[in-house]
Amino acid sequence: MNSTSTVAPNHVNIINFIRGVEPREPIDLLEPVREQLALVQKHGLRATWLLQYDALIQPAFTDLLHREANASQEIGVWFEVVQPLAEKAGIPWRGRFAWDWHAHIAFSVGYTPRERERMADVLMEDFRQVFGHYPQSVGSWFLDAHLLGYLWDKYQIVASCNCKDQWGTDGYTLWGGYYNQAYYPSRKNGFMPAQTAEGQIPVPVFRMLGSDPIYQYDAKLGGNGQSVITLEPVYSGEEGGGGIPKWVRWFFDVNFRSEQVSFGYAQVGQENSFGWALMKDGLIDQVELLAAKQAEGALTVQTLAESGRWFRRQYPVTPAASICALSDWRDEGRQSVWYNNRFYRMNLLNNGGELSIRDIHLFDENYEERYLQDVCPDRNSHYDTLPVVDSARWSDERVSAGIRPVAFDNEGRELPIAVRAIDTDESTDGELALRLHLADEHTLHIRCSEQGVSFAADWLDWGLRLLWGDTPELPEVKLEQEGIAYAFNGHLYRIGTEGARPPVLLTEGKRGVGNGIEFRAAGSELKLRLSR
């Protein structure tokens, strides 16, 4: 456990964004806003209300906020493109409806950089006309780097928010990013944390929705992409979600621990287009629980702008952060640990005693997003970072991809490794240390820092195996004397090793490349170098 006497802060943003039209079915869009506002103010909680342009120009919504919202409520904007915004900016409307949720219509990436600026100017000026000032917070399921930089440079916004990681949900993919909490994006890539103050947009971007840290990563794929296991109160299926009180309490316990690498974070709230009836029970339960936990001193509920200002005061560059889910709400024996910093993210999974690092993605501020200057041509927009291992994308029916520790006997035969328990230590600034107690009474130590991930074993003959399946998602992989070189989406990068013998390519797969790499430790310690 963390031995430091300092209690890390836990922050919550209640963010409800407001659409002015729902073309898919008749629904009362005003009722959820009225009920959400009454609910948070009943419990004395601060909240952020992000208006889409079609709601901003409807007095029914703005008059309600003028009349009912007290001084603790923040009003900002939700940047999705709707017909009246595009047309006022002089851009012909291409959508099927006045609001069309497809990525190349609703998101900024569907427009040229100059068109993005024109729509931002219309939105900000019309907001100022209604509320007397420019908004401090601008959210969206996704904002490109050009637009984020423009909003900072011209309007000095202080915070933004975007969607959780997901593969193909609603037609768009955000994959490999800073998993939770917040980051400063690169000037060249709104999804990529920057490594330097010079290369970043100084607006913290908070990750929304609150993903299940065990099960969301490899949630099943269907016709609409990945299924959703998040804190959103409308989700109450057997997989988990914010409409299940048991899951919510487990999620809060996991995210709002007294010991953290930097700070704990979650976003609570729901867009009004789901309707009040569907969100009511789950949202009331969550807000009541937040009020109780804030009264206990376990967390602080802030507006998004307040969190943005706090983040900038605390961190000149993106800090390290962690999520340690050492209990399983489904009682299926799984544990998941996420560690992020400005250089990489890592996820470790204990699946009933079987240990694997199922995800490492590197961050490089020079890796340009696809839409920095170009326009997304269709509904399938795509943002990613640089994969080192990606179990969700590299596994097949035969192989579960990941990095696994292996032990060998005196004759070189592999011995099973089974995890009995995991202890965490976050007492060193910016680092996460894990002590894994194995079934054979041995111990494996893992330490995550900005430089990389270190492994230390208390037995002699051991190593790491990186395995993958026969999948088209795999980058080009080339062995080096002290590491691996990768090529992905035209970008070259590498990881290095310390304390390892030269890596060995394992059995060749169908694509003519190996289906894995083995790093044999030269001694008791082995390190993967993951920073530049």
Side-chain angles (χ1 to χ4, degrees):
M1 298 295 291
N2 193 332
S3 60
T4 182
S5 61
T6 302
V7 176
N10 291 310
H11 295 268
V12 177
N13 294 145
I14 301 175
I15 302 174
N16 298 304
F17 64 90
I18 305 169
R19 302 189 189 279
V21 63
E22 173 49 75
R24 291 168 289 191
E25 59 183 77
I27 194 166
D28 186 341
L29 294 174
L30 190 62
E31 180 188 26
V33 183
R34 183 172 58 246
E35 296 292 342
Q36 290 168 332
L37 184 58
L39 176 64
V40 297
Q41 294 190 151
K42 171 186 175 182
H43 292 282
L45 297 178
R46 309 175 83 79
T48 297
W49 308 86
L50 302 180
L51 287 157
Q52 192 167 273
Y53 187 77
D54 51 10
L56 176 65
I57 60 176
Q58 292 188 48
F61 295 103
T62 55
D63 288 352
L64 172 67
L65 293 172
H66 274 301
R67 184 176 64 251
E68 302 293 340
N70 62 33
S72 66
Q73 308 302 307
E74 178 196 7
I75 303 171
V77 296
W78 182 258
F79 197 107
E80 285 191 43
V81 182
V82 291
Q83 185 172 359
L85 175 61
E87 291 179 345
K88 188 165 184 180
I91 301 167
W93 181 242
R94 298 178 278 110
R96 299 165 297 167
F97 318 103
W99 167 66
D100 187 333
W101 51 91
H102 286 172
H104 63 309
I105 305 297
F107 295 160
S108 60
V109 297
Y111 303 85
T112 67
R114 180 64 189 117
E115 288 173 333
R116 300 169 203 175
E117 294 176 6
R118 281 162 34 200
M119 288 189 290
D121 290 340
V122 169
L123 180 57
M124 301 298 270
E125 289 299 335
D126 285 5
F127 183 96
R128 187 175 66 86
Q129 289 296 318
V130 175
F131 292 102
H133 58 85
Y134 292 126
Q136 297 181 312
S137 297
V138 179
S140 178
W141 290 139
F142 201 78
L143 290 177
D144 66 278
H146 180 89
L147 180 58
L148 264 175
Y150 183 77
L151 290 168
W152 161 253
D153 294 336
K154 184 170 182 177
Y155 297 102
Q156 298 288 291
I157 66 169
V158 300
S160 186
C161 56
N162 67 18
C163 186
K164 64 175 177 64
D165 264 42
Q166 60 182 34
W167 189 272
T169 310
D170 292 334
Y172 60 97
T173 291
L174 305 169
W175 196 253
Y178 202 96
Y179 197 74
N180 193 46
Q181 283 100 332
Y183 66 96
Y184 291 117
S186 163
R187 280 277 182 179
K188 298 179 180 180
N189 190 324
F191 191 57
M192 181 75 73
Q195 287 71 61
T196 65
E198 296 76 20
Q200 71 189 16
I201 303 169
V203 175
V205 176
F206 291 81
R207 301 304 303 272
M208 295 181 71
L209 305 183
S211 292
D212 185 306
I214 297 177
Y215 294 104
Q216 178 62 60
Y217 172 75
D218 52 9
K220 62 185 179 183
L221 291 170
N224 192 38
Q226 268 191 322
S227 57
V228 178
I229 313 173
T230 71
L231 195 55
E232 294 168 274
V234 297
Y235 293 111
S236 56
E238 62 181 14
E239 288 186 312
I244 303 175
K246 177 183 176 182
W247 184 93
V248 171
R249 281 148 182 80
W250 169 81
F251 183 88
F252 280 15
D253 288 344
V254 163
N255 281 272
F256 303 139
R257 295 167 296 118
S258 58
E259 55 275 342
Q260 301 268 4
V261 168
S262 54
F263 70 101
Y265 176 78
Q267 178 258 322
V268 170
Q270 192 76 64
E271 60 196 280
N272 63 331
S273 53
F274 278 95
W276 178 242
L278 195 58
M279 72 178 77
K280 175 183 176 182
D281 292 342
L283 189 61
I284 290 173
D285 177 61
Q286 290 184 26
V287 169
E288 290 178 347
L289 187 59
L290 284 179
K293 286 190 171 293
Q294 179 164 264
E296 296 167 2
L299 53 82
T300 301
V301 180
Q302 297 177 310
T303 66
L304 181 56
E306 287 173 331
S307 291
R309 286 192 291 270
W310 171 85
F311 190 92
R312 289 196 65 200
R313 289 194 302 268
Q314 294 289 119
Y315 307 113
V317 292
T318 300
S322 65
I323 309 170
C324 297
L326 301 184
S327 63
D328 182 355
W329 85 278
R330 296 185 189 176
D331 298 320
E332 295 178 3
R334 294 181 177 88
Q335 298 171 301
S336 174
V337 174
W338 289 92
Y339 173 81
N340 308 263
N341 62 38
R342 59 196 163 115
F343 296 102
Y344 68 93
R345 80 174 193 184
M346 185 276 291
N347 177 240
L348 180 145
L349 178 71
N350 175 21
N351 187 7
E354 181 184 355
L355 179 72
S356 70
I357 293 177
R358 59 177 175 174
D359 185 276
I360 297 176
H361 277 75
L362 300 188
F363 303 144
D364 184 345
E365 64 189 27
N366 295 310
Y367 177 62
E368 286 192 8
E369 63 176 78
R370 291 162 174 82
Y371 316 114
L372 186 64
Q373 299 297 329
D374 295 332
V375 173
C376 178
D378 56 41
R379 63 172 299 194
N380 299 305
S381 63
H382 197 106
Y383 276 85
D384 52 31
T385 61
L386 304 172
V388 171
V389 57
D390 186 345
S391 177
R393 308 307 307 162
W394 296 2
S395 299
D396 62 15
E397 65 278 0
R398 298 181 304 108
V399 178
S400 176
I403 296 176
R404 293 174 174 83
V406 290
F408 305 97
D409 65 15
N410 292 333
E411 298 179 2
R413 293 173 299 198
E414 184 178 344
L415 299 172
I417 287 181
V419 176
R420 181 167 47 85
I422 300 177
D423 295 331
T424 63
D425 181 350
E426 294 156 284
S427 58
T428 300
D429 186 38
E431 297 188 2
L432 171 65
L434 305 169
R435 182 168 61 181
L436 288 78
H437 305 274
L438 307 183
D440 60 2
E441 304 304 321
H442 284 292
T443 303
L444 178 67
H445 294 268
I446 301 177
R447 179 173 291 275
C448 305
S449 68
E450 283 197 343
Q451 291 71 40
V453 182
S454 300
F455 303 81
D458 66 354
W459 65 94
L460 292 179
D461 202 356
W462 68 287
L464 300 175
R465 279 184 180 162
L466 166 57
L467 299 178
W468 57 77
D470 287 308
T471 167
E473 304 288 347
L474 189 71
E476 294 180 31
V477 177
K478 181 181 178 181
L479 295 190
E480 297 182 340
Q481 186 71 13
E482 295 183 345
I484 312 173
Y486 293 84
F488 175 76
N489 193 31
H491 196 82
L492 304 178
Y493 55 103
R494 68 182 302 276
I495 66 169
T497 58
E498 296 176 7
R501 302 169 190 172
V504 176
L505 193 67
L506 301 178
T507 307
E508 286 198 356
K510 296 177 183 177
R511 300 177 60 215
V513 298
N515 67 357
I517 295 170
E518 183 175 282
F519 299 96
R520 202 78 170 255
S524 62
E525 296 186 8
L526 189 159
K527 181 176 182 178
L528 300 180
R529 296 194 307 271
L530 302 174
S531 65
R532 290 182 290 138

